[in-house]
Amino acid sequence: MKSSKKIKREEFIRICKLHGLKITPQRMAIYEEVTGSSGHPSAEIIYRKIKRKYPGISFDTVNRTLLTFSDIGLLQIVEGYGEPKRFDANTQDHHHFRCLRCGSIIDVYHKRYDELEIPAEIETHHKVIRKRVVLEGICKQCRER
Amino acid sequence: MKSSKKIKREEFIRICKLHGLKITPQRMAIYEEVTGSSGHPSAEIIYRKIKRKYPGISFDTVNRTLLTFSDIGLLQIVEGYGEPKRFDANTQDHHHFRCLRCGSIIDVYHKRYDELEIPAEIETHHKVIRKRVVLEGICKQCRER
DNA sequence: CTACTAATTAAGAGTAACTCTTATTTGTTG
DNA sequence: CAACAAATAAGAGTTACTCTTAATTAGTAG
């Protein structure tokens, strides 16, 4: 276990250098916390956990660092985007493409997506009300800039 | 066009009565605005549009009404949930089940989901970086209450 | 048609979750 | 180890709700 932690640390340093980021103790701590924690924590939850070990750290640093990590692909932002709620009165079966830069949502109509089955291990435990495929990336307009 | 609007209005009244909701002019206006607008507006955007016709309406009423509509299935909340950002350091290919009541996210591993193709009309215009299936419903714990 | 009552609304205060600004500190490079 | 650009802490500011309260109103019982 000790050596796998060391390997993880070296990997982290490699990726940071690759992107020209400095290796700070704060970043190290946040990286270790977030890769070590299962679940899908918010910035606030990660901040509270890290604060036990590093009482001096600020929320802003945790949040900013998480966003940096998401920029360089060390983690992803999922399901909650910290953005206002978006409403959709389109009752037709459809899916979405979402631009990671400007946040615009484009409807996707694709029959194969409508026909997706629900995995048995989900269906037996939880009640599934709806299913949707979410594609994420950079939209045409943002690419042209 | 005039008659389809009238039919829509009657349908709206029917659904409201079905759920024991009073027919108020505010609700009517919000319903007409949200079903008439394409895109995936936030509460703020709908509020601004309605305010042109009904200058006296409050943001709170618009927001509350939209949430009510989502409760009774007239519309859905998508992509932005008005919740804190959620981070995921799991780099394996996986998907999510999200509880509409408590907000918990459960990982879903399902090979068929990993193999979904991207529709051509999306791929030609936009850059797709990732794709995910999002199942939504009520989780086991919330059902048991 | 009137009175009643519970639902609904407007207004404004309060809160959560960022997000930005500024002064200070710290990795990194030469 | 000196210089400097990057990163941090602290705290103010902003956005998007969310709640409280008093006033109003839709539905209905008479």
Side-chain angles (χ1 to χ4, degrees):
Chain A
M1 285 297 108
K2 205 175 184 180
S3 67
S4 88
K5 203 169 179 182
K6 198 180 156 196
I7 288 168
K8 210 167 85 173
R9 190 167 297 178
E10 279 162 13
E11 173 68 1
F12 171 69
I13 291 170
R14 195 185 64 79
I15 292 169
C16 281
K17 298 218 158 157
L18 194 66
H19 292 273
L21 297 178
K22 290 180 178 175
I23 317 299
T24 67
Q26 290 93 333
R27 270 190 189 141
M28 204 73 180
I30 293 164
Y31 178 74
E32 289 189 344
E33 183 59 51
V34 82
T35 54
S37 73
S38 63
H40 304 78
S42 64
E44 180 68 28
I45 284 170
I46 295 165
Y47 168 62
R48 279 195 221 131
K49 283 188 181 174
I50 288 179
K51 217 176 178 186
R52 290 183 209 151
K53 281 211 164 187
Y54 300 81
I57 205 164
S58 71
F59 172 81
D60 187 69
T61 295
V62 173
N63 191 54
R64 188 171 17 79
T65 301
L66 288 169
L67 295 178
T68 304
F69 287 173
S70 123
D71 284 344
I72 65 173
L74 278 176
L75 50 80
Q76 293 184 7
I77 299 171
V78 297
E79 261 64 21
Y81 301 103
E83 288 167 8
K85 288 187 195 71
R86 301 280 284 271
F87 298 93
D88 190 346
N90 181 352
T91 50
Q92 266 189 283
D93 228 338
H94 71 290
H95 307 268
H96 287 151
F97 172 87
R98 179 177 172 274
C99 180
L100 294 168
R101 195 160 299 160
C102 70
S104 69
I105 296 172
I106 295 163
D107 286 337
V108 176
Y109 295 93
H110 198 63
K111 198 145 182 260
R112 294 265 298 274
Y113 287 179
D114 302 341
E115 294 160 351
L116 288 176
E117 74 287 355
I118 312 291
E121 66 271 28
I122 293 296
E123 193 141 50
T124 55
H125 294 305
H126 316 289
K127 188 186 175 191
V128 177
I129 293 172
R130 62 200 202 208
K131 60 176 199 277
R132 193 190 308 277
V133 176
V134 178
L135 306 174
E136 293 181 305
I138 309 298
C139 75
K140 200 183 176 189
Q141 291 192 332
C142 286
R143 288 181 82 183
E144 285 165 0
R145 261 185 262 125
Chain B
M1 284 298 108
K2 204 176 184 179
S3 68
S4 88
K5 202 169 179 182
K6 199 180 156 195
I7 288 167
K8 210 166 83 172
R9 189 168 297 180
E10 278 162 11
E11 173 68 0
F12 170 70
I13 291 172
R14 195 185 64 78
I15 292 169
C16 281
K17 298 217 159 158
L18 193 65
H19 292 274
L21 297 178
K22 290 180 177 175
I23 317 297
T24 67
Q26 291 93 334
R27 270 190 188 139
M28 204 72 181
I30 293 164
Y31 178 74
E32 289 190 344
E33 183 59 52
V34 82
T35 54
S37 74
S38 63
H40 304 79
S42 65
E44 179 68 29
I45 284 170
I46 296 165
Y47 168 62
R48 279 195 221 131
K49 282 188 181 174
I50 289 180
K51 217 173 179 188
R52 289 183 210 152
K53 281 210 165 189
Y54 300 82
I57 204 163
S58 71
F59 172 81
D60 187 69
T61 295
V62 173
N63 191 53
R64 186 171 20 76
T65 302
L66 288 169
L67 295 178
T68 304
F69 287 172
S70 125
D71 283 344
I72 65 173
L74 277 176
L75 50 80
Q76 292 184 7
I77 298 172
V78 297
E79 261 63 22
Y81 300 104
E83 287 168 9
K85 287 186 194 72
R86 301 279 284 269
F87 298 93
D88 189 346
N90 180 353
T91 50
Q92 267 187 283
D93 229 338
H94 71 289
H95 306 269
H96 287 150
F97 172 87
R98 179 177 173 274
C99 180
L100 294 168
R101 195 160 299 161
C102 70
S104 69
I105 296 172
I106 295 163
D107 286 337
V108 176
Y109 295 92
H110 198 64
K111 198 147 181 258
R112 293 266 296 274
Y113 287 179
D114 302 341
E115 293 161 352
L116 289 177
E117 75 286 356
I118 311 291
E121 66 271 28
I122 294 296
E123 193 142 51
T124 55
H125 295 305
H126 316 289
K127 188 185 174 192
V128 177
I129 293 171
R130 60 198 202 210
K131 59 177 199 279
R132 192 189 309 277
V133 176
V134 178
L135 306 174
E136 292 181 306
I138 310 298
C139 75
K140 200 184 176 189
Q141 292 192 332
C142 285
R143 287 182 80 182
E144 284 164 1
R145 262 184 262 126

